[in-house]
Amino acid sequence: MKRTGNRGLAEVARTLVRRPSGVLQGTRWLFTWLALLSLLFSVPGIIATVSASPVALLMATVSAIALYGSWIYGFLRQRVPLALELLDAVALTGFALAGPVPAAAVPLIFGAAWLRTLYGTPWRSAVRAVLYTAAVVAITLLWPFTPGHETAPDLARQLGTISIMLLTMAVSGQLRNGLQANDWAIEQDKALTETGSKLLGMTDANQIRLLAWTTAANLGSSTPGLRVLKVSRHGELLHVGAHTGDFAAPPQTLPGDLLQSSGVASQVQIGHPRALNEAVGSTLVWECVPLTEQEDDAWLLVGAPKRIPEGTILSVRSLVNQVNLALRNSHSHHQLTAQAQHDTLTGLENRLSFTTKLGALLARTDSTEALHVLFLDLDDFKYVNDQMGHRAGDAVLTEVAERLRHCTRPQDICARLGGDEFAVVLTGTTDAAAEAIAQRMVGSLAAPIVVDGRPCRVGASVGVARAVAGAGIDELVHQADVAMYAAKANGKGRVQLFRPGLLQGESSLVSFERQLARAAGGDELEVYYQPIVSLADLHCTGAEALVRWRHPERGLLLPTEFIPLAETTGSILGIGAFVLRRSCADAVTWPPARPGVPMRVHVNISARELESDYFVDSVLLCLAESGLPAERLVLELTETVVLESVSAVERLKTLHAHGVSVAIDDFGTGYSSLSTLRSLPISVVKLDASFVTGALTNPVDRTVVEAIVQMSAKLGIGTIAEGVEKLDQQELLLSIGTDAAQGHLYCRAVPADELREWLARADTPPSTPQVQPLETA
């Protein structure tokens, strides 16, 4: 206990000796020592004169001890309870009565007045003035009754003491207010300086706002009674957001007409302060500070009792300016960050961001999730820039980026590496799934892109590489790059999965697949046409477009020799686009089948073409480019292709709404029924050649043909028989009601020029047609 007491006394001594920080605190410390020293220097003179009177000596000693304790306690606690004020008045009275003359206590009274007025409020200063005046009056009245005092005090001098004392208290009160305001200003400046320093390193808007409200709370603590509300306008009301200060129950909303504006956000004023005071439950003086860096109209409402110190409102405005600047810098930072991580033209990730994110994915310890990198390079993009200009090239790149986004998932990384090179990172995919996504990209980009009303055709070659354990980012990127170049070398417009030794042997590249992939872009494909004849009058009503490949080494190849392979490799997309474009352009030049009845062109469509999201746009663009009316185009598909894809049916319905007809090819060889096909936009059914051939000798085949023709007629669907080679077949088909036929009985598939010649001399079909050697269409 003794050691604890000694440590406590030592701490008190250190506090008294050390000057505290702050102007007001330092002034209080200075006046405390002034009062203590004044008392100390007054005690010896008092004791010397009262030593003969034990009562006076006791009174002087007790009063001195009481004053010492009161003043030291007030300084240590930095507050003066009312009880100490009473004690001071009594002790000053006792000390004066113990002295030889009333004037002996005057220095102590003035010292106490200076010291105590530096504490408390103006109301406390008024109470103190009453107590000290009462003490002087008590000294004057009690002086004659105190032993050893023979003469009464000079009343004029006592009144002068009271007057000067009151003046001293008034001046000391003003000094206190000024020093207090100065300290508050210093604290506010310090808070603003620290906040400004912290804001320099902040880029997150939420953290900036949180720090701002912490600083606002600090400003409130340095200004008694300060309250701050953030309000924003939502319709007819003001919604109250964050707040700081002593609110019993902060309001949630305020009337919208509380703030009145002259039309400029920075000139908004509080129009109804009474309504605001009623809402917060206090009578305050309010100021409105606009928040300019907010998404909506927002303001700070700053209130305080009686008046808001000028320094406080300036600090609030300074804080708002700092926060506004920080939020503006935050926005700029995020914009620059986005620019540093994204391609400015397409909005995709750029090379740096792609490499960084791919490296982070490869660094993960979890290797159970499959990861694939796809490298995509546009085919023939150079021609777009050369022929249409770089502005058109930029428009094409932007559209390519949009299609790539559509082909990928939200969690995939899609980047533009530069020029016409793109890259995609897929997670959680198998090789088959990655190839399917890559094929989707190729199919999407095979559709033309319209720039300023002109179509641009750019394909894409895609290389796919799968990450394996231990593979680094450089190796994986190199593998995807190699696979992409292999895809280009194999004829463009295709997908290539990386495998070891992919580019090591030239013999693997010089293959039939590569030559096929190059065929569409190498002017090696030709479109032949086989006429379709009406059985009623033997007039030609249309022709089916059939592709041929003039192979540089093997000569003219029929579809059966390369179409199945094209379906497998994806080359069918380029081939199909070529055939559709050429067929529409040729059909425009054909003469009418008969006056007022134009000839139709039939074009075969593959499953892969129909799966493309851009298939409808591609068909409509071909019609627009060629000028061929939609009613003259018939798209032929197999029944299995249509029935296996819901999206395919929707695309066919869209084209049908534009006037394009749809035909089911090789009908009868699949598993569909006419009732099922009735729900589809089918205009024509083409009877498979196998049924036509067997109808003359096989009762089953004949029954099937009759059933199909009769059911189609009842459903309003036209019928065309394929593979007609004999007049007997023609007569049978006519007898059972078949609408039209095509086959070598009329004409084999011929080039466009020969078709026009045939049409010119086909007004009267031959009575004894010459059957050509059978070739597969």
Side-chain angles (χ1 to χ4, degrees):
M1 289 291 293
K2 185 175 181 180
R3 290 182 179 178
T4 303
N6 292 337
R7 284 198 298 271
L9 291 175
E11 182 64 29
V12 170
R14 282 194 295 270
T15 304
L16 287 173
V17 172
R18 187 186 307 115
R19 180 182 179 125
S21 60
V23 178
L24 180 59
Q25 297 275 21
T27 304
R28 287 173 177 173
W29 175 84
L30 183 63
F31 277 90
T32 299
W33 274 107
L34 175 63
L36 293 175
L37 292 175
S38 298
L39 181 58
L40 178 64
F41 295 148
S42 300
V43 167
I46 295 292
I47 293 177
T49 59
V50 302
S51 56
S53 174
V55 176
L57 179 62
L58 178 62
M59 187 183 301
T61 303
V62 172
S63 297
I65 293 174
L67 290 173
Y68 271 119
S70 175
W71 293 341
I72 292 174
Y73 179 87
F75 174 72
L76 295 176
R77 296 292 184 178
Q78 289 297 308
R79 63 185 183 87
V80 181
L82 183 60
L84 287 186
E85 302 280 9
L86 293 171
L87 179 61
D88 286 353
V90 173
L92 288 171
T93 303
F95 193 85
L97 292 174
V101 292
V106 170
L108 295 182
I109 294 175
F110 283 108
W114 276 106
L115 173 62
R116 289 312 198 193
T117 310
L118 294 176
Y119 295 91
T121 64
W123 286 107
R124 176 59 66 84
S125 295
V127 173
R128 186 180 303 112
V130 172
L131 291 175
Y132 281 26
T133 300
V136 174
V137 171
I139 293 171
T140 303
L141 295 176
L142 295 176
W143 186 264
F145 303 101
T146 305
H149 297 161
E150 300 177 356
T151 59
D154 186 348
L155 185 59
R157 179 175 292 181
Q158 293 298 91
L159 291 175
T161 300
I162 293 175
S163 300
I164 297 174
M165 179 191 66
L166 294 177
L167 180 60
T168 300
M169 287 185 175
V171 173
S172 180
Q174 292 300 315
L175 176 63
R176 177 199 61 213
N177 293 338
L179 296 176
Q180 182 69 75
N182 186 73
D183 274 357
W184 287 344
I186 292 175
E187 291 179 13
Q188 291 166 359
D189 288 344
K190 181 180 178 181
L192 292 176
T193 301
E194 292 178 352
T195 300
S197 177
K198 293 178 181 177
L199 288 175
L200 290 176
M202 285 189 178
T203 57
D204 183 83
N206 292 329
Q207 291 183 355
I208 291 173
R209 294 187 177 96
L210 179 61
L211 176 61
W213 279 105
T214 302
T215 305
N218 293 337
L219 295 179
S221 65
S222 65
T223 306
L226 186 72
R227 296 168 176 83
V228 182
L229 294 171
K230 177 190 174 183
V231 298
S232 56
R233 190 176 298 280
H234 292 271
E236 299 297 325
L237 294 176
L238 296 174
H239 285 206
V240 178
H243 58 83
T244 183
D246 187 16
F247 289 99
Q252 300 298 316
T253 59
L254 295 170
D257 60 354
L258 182 70
L259 300 180
Q260 296 181 351
S261 173
S262 61
V264 182
S266 60
Q267 297 179 1
V268 171
Q269 296 180 346
I270 299 175
H272 304 285
R274 179 178 296 179
L276 180 56
N277 287 332
E278 291 176 355
V280 300
S282 300
T283 301
L284 304 173
V285 176
W286 293 93
E287 289 269 0
C288 180
V289 180
L291 301 176
T292 57
E293 294 298 320
Q294 303 291 322
E295 295 181 356
D296 49 11
D297 293 338
W299 303 267
L300 286 184
L301 303 184
V302 184
K306 294 186 178 179
R307 60 180 290 271
I308 304 174
E310 183 179 355
T312 299
I313 195 65
L314 289 177
S315 296
V316 172
R317 293 184 186 276
S318 177
L319 175 62
V320 169
N321 290 336
Q322 287 184 354
V323 172
N324 286 342
L325 179 60
L327 290 174
R328 195 175 300 119
N329 289 339
S330 171
H331 180 69
S332 299
H333 170 80
H334 287 299
Q335 281 188 325
L336 291 175
T337 301
Q339 292 175 5
Q341 295 178 348
H342 293 81
D343 177 57
T344 55
L345 176 63
T346 63
L348 300 178
E349 309 276 351
N350 60 16
R351 181 182 290 273
L352 175 62
S353 178
F354 167 79
T355 305
T356 302
K357 291 185 176 181
L358 178 58
L361 289 173
L362 292 176
R364 291 180 181 175
T365 55
D366 183 9
S367 59
T368 60
E369 186 179 30
L371 185 148
H372 291 78
V373 173
L374 281 60
F375 263 37
L376 181 148
D377 187 83
L378 299 183
D379 300 330
D380 304 322
F381 179 71
K382 179 178 180 296
Y383 297 111
V384 176
N385 280 332
D386 293 345
Q387 297 177 11
M388 301 183 64
H390 289 282
R391 190 177 65 84
D394 290 345
V396 169
L397 292 174
T398 303
E399 176 62 20
V400 168
E402 187 61 31
R403 294 188 184 183
L404 291 182
R405 290 190 188 96
H406 186 70
C407 293
T408 54
R409 304 163 301 176
Q411 67 268 28
D412 297 331
I413 301 171
C414 196
R416 180 190 176 206
L417 303 183
D420 60 348
E421 291 185 348
F422 297 81
V424 175
V425 179
L426 306 176
T427 56
T429 52
T430 61
D431 287 351
E435 282 195 87
I437 293 175
Q439 289 287 4
R440 191 187 310 158
M441 295 177 183
V442 171
S444 174
L445 296 178
I449 298 173
V450 179
V451 178
D452 294 334
R454 297 176 59 188
C456 301
R457 289 185 172 82
V458 291
S461 300
V462 183
V464 182
R466 177 170 54 89
V468 296
I473 183 172
D474 292 337
E475 181 180 357
L476 182 60
V477 168
H478 175 69
Q479 290 176 355
D481 198 34
V482 167
M484 184 269 291
Y485 278 108
K488 274 191 172 297
N490 285 336
K492 303 179 182 179
R494 61 168 295 166
V495 175
Q496 177 65 59
L497 181 66
F498 177 83
R499 62 178 184 272
L502 183 62
L503 291 182
Q504 293 179 0
E506 180 66 17
S507 59
S508 64
L509 301 179
V510 183
S511 63
F512 191 68
E513 292 183 25
R514 186 193 66 179
Q515 293 171 335
L516 175 60
R518 289 179 172 177
D523 294 329
E524 297 176 3
L525 297 180
E526 300 177 8
V527 178
Y528 280 43
Y529 299 94
Q530 186 172 44
I532 298 173
V533 176
S534 169
L535 291 179
D537 54 15
L538 296 181
H539 279 90
C540 180
T541 59
E544 179 180 358
L546 302 167
V547 67
R548 301 289 187 263
W549 179 15
R550 193 166 295 280
H551 193 277
E553 300 171 359
R554 299 168 55 180
L556 190 65
L557 301 181
L558 299 178
T560 53
E561 299 179 78
F562 62 91
I563 289 298
L565 182 61
E567 292 273 10
T568 303
T569 62
S571 300
I572 190 65
L573 295 173
I575 295 174
F578 170 81
V579 173
L580 179 63
R581 189 164 57 250
R582 179 61 59 81
S583 301
C584 290
D586 288 344
V588 174
T589 65
W590 296 345
R594 62 178 70 90
V597 181
M599 284 181 56
R600 290 181 169 189
V601 60
H602 292 237
V603 181
N604 291 279
I605 301 298
S606 68
R608 285 205 173 183
E609 290 177 272
L610 200 55
E611 288 172 359
S612 172
D613 292 337
Y614 300 94
F615 175 70
V616 173
D617 293 337
S618 179
V619 173
L620 296 179
L621 181 62
C622 284
L623 292 173
E625 285 182 337
S626 63
L628 182 72
E631 293 75 13
R632 294 185 59 189
L633 176 62
V634 181
L635 301 180
E636 295 191 5
L637 310 97
T638 61
E639 51 192 302
T640 54
V641 169
V642 176
L643 295 177
E644 288 177 357
S645 174
V646 176
S647 59
V649 174
E650 294 303 319
R651 293 186 182 102
L652 291 177
K653 288 182 178 179
T654 301
L655 289 172
H656 181 73
H658 281 83
V660 177
S661 299
V662 179
I664 295 297
D665 196 14
D666 300 330
F667 187 77
T669 60
Y671 51 82
S672 61
S673 63
L674 282 173
S675 59
T676 302
L677 294 180
R678 183 54 183 161
S679 62
L680 304 174
I682 305 302
S683 302
V684 178
V685 168
K686 300 189 74 174
L687 303 175
D688 186 67
S690 61
F691 292 109
V692 174
T693 302
L696 292 175
T697 58
N698 189 330
V700 175
D701 288 345
R702 177 169 179 161
T703 301
V704 170
V705 172
E706 289 178 348
I708 293 175
V709 171
Q710 293 172 6
M711 288 295 295
S712 297
K714 292 180 180 180
L715 294 174
I717 298 175
T719 51
I720 299 176
E722 296 180 301
V724 178
E725 300 179 357
K726 301 177 181 178
L727 283 174
D728 293 345
Q729 294 172 337
Q730 172 183 299
E731 293 172 356
L732 173 63
L733 293 170
L734 179 61
S735 66
I736 61 178
T738 307
D739 296 314
Q742 68 182 93
H744 291 172
L745 176 66
Y746 312 106
C747 182
R748 60 183 178 85
V750 294
D753 293 340
E754 293 186 28
L755 174 66
R756 281 188 287 271
E757 295 176 1
W758 183 88
L759 291 173
R761 63 175 184 269
D763 292 335
T764 304
S767 57
T768 307
Q770 180 180 357
V771 178
Q772 304 285 345
L774 182 62
E775 65 175 349
T776 303

